Amino acid sequence: RSSKIFLRCLSVAVMGLLSLVGLVTSVQAAKPKIQRIALVIGHNKGNKDLKPLRYAQRDARKLASIIQQLGGYRSDQVILLISPTRREVRRSMSRIRKLASRLSKQSVFLFYYSGHARGKHFQLGKEALAFREILQFSKSLPVRVRLLLIDSCFSGRFLRAKGPRRVSSLRWVPPHQLRTKGLAILTS
């Protein structure tokens, strides 16, 4: 039940962020068209000490579907990995790096992970992938906006993986004045 509520809230948040990015590009018509790429990962299994999750893989599939139906992503712009190994994730990151080098600088990268995490690592079955590796990867992409959505235990530690900082308040800016750029991280 809490997984359904989180997925609904996450969907609303993603659509809101994508809408803001879309408004910026429609207002700035002279700029290159926005392009998108997403890496969506769902993994029900953690290491041997963790009980398998029931909905992580389903949530990843649903999010991949939602961003294609409502977020302006084409199927060739979404890499969906279900129960991947660390090697498969890194191979997909390499593929995204190559794709991103051909995109306009107005592009958006979306990363979503649903599954187990321990300490400062995503759990990919018996393997682990450091939060820092994903953060550094996303920062290395030549895109304007990076959205990282993490649905796992210990996801708040991702914010301490160096780089992002909390802000005390947000200020509303009319869409025609936005210059959307940077990194946004949403953790559950």
Side-chain angles (χ1 to χ4, degrees):
R1 181 180 171 105
S2 65
S3 177
K4 283 184 180 182
I5 293 169
F6 175 76
L7 190 59
R8 285 186 185 143
C9 292
L10 180 61
S11 297
V12 169
V14 169
M15 291 307 107
L17 289 168
L18 293 174
S19 295
L20 286 176
V21 172
L23 285 171
V24 170
T25 57
S26 65
V27 169
Q28 300 171 350
K31 302 260 181 178
K33 185 179 176 197
I34 191 167
Q35 296 172 302
R36 298 166 176 86
I37 190 153
L39 176 57
V40 178
I41 301 171
H43 209 304
N44 285 343
K45 294 182 180 176
N47 65 25
K48 64 181 176 160
D49 299 332
L50 299 170
K51 285 178 87 173
L53 298 171
R54 294 173 49 184
Y55 304 111
Q57 293 172 189
R58 184 197 68 182
D59 290 351
R61 283 186 184 98
K62 283 186 176 183
L63 185 85
S65 176
I66 288 167
I67 63 175
Q68 289 175 62
Q69 292 172 18
L70 304 175
Y73 284 76
R74 296 186 320 259
S75 61
D76 64 326
Q77 295 174 318
V78 178
I79 297 173
L80 173 62
L81 301 176
I82 301 298
S83 295
T85 63
R86 183 175 46 223
R87 184 175 183 209
E88 289 169 329
V89 172
R90 287 179 175 156
R91 195 176 309 138
S92 293
M93 289 164 52
S94 178
R95 180 175 161 212
I96 288 170
R97 199 173 275 117
K98 288 176 189 171
L99 289 170
S101 69
R102 295 186 295 240
L103 299 177
S104 78
K105 301 295 185 227
Q106 298 301 318
S107 300
V108 175
F109 170 67
L110 170 67
F111 173 81
Y112 174 79
Y113 174 81
S114 182
H116 281 295
R118 274 256 169 108
K120 296 180 181 180
H121 296 84
F122 297 110
Q123 292 291 304
L124 303 172
K126 296 177 184 176
E127 300 177 325
L129 180 68
F131 292 165
R132 179 169 286 164
E133 186 172 346
I134 294 296
L135 184 59
Q136 289 172 344
F137 164 71
S138 67
K139 285 181 171 184
S140 75
L141 296 174
V143 298
R144 188 168 180 91
V145 176
R146 294 154 191 89
L147 304 171
L148 308 179
L149 310 171
I150 301 154
D151 180 12
S152 69
C153 293
F154 300 101
S155 62
R157 290 188 182 181
F158 192 90
L159 297 174
R160 291 183 237 144
K162 211 169 188 175
R165 59 182 163 71
R166 293 177 191 243
V167 293
S168 59
S169 66
L170 296 176
R171 182 174 59 94
W172 184 83
V173 178
H176 68 280
Q177 294 178 3
L178 282 175
R179 300 272 187 252
T180 306
K181 180 180 178 182
L183 171 68
I185 299 173
L186 177 64
T187 66
S188 64

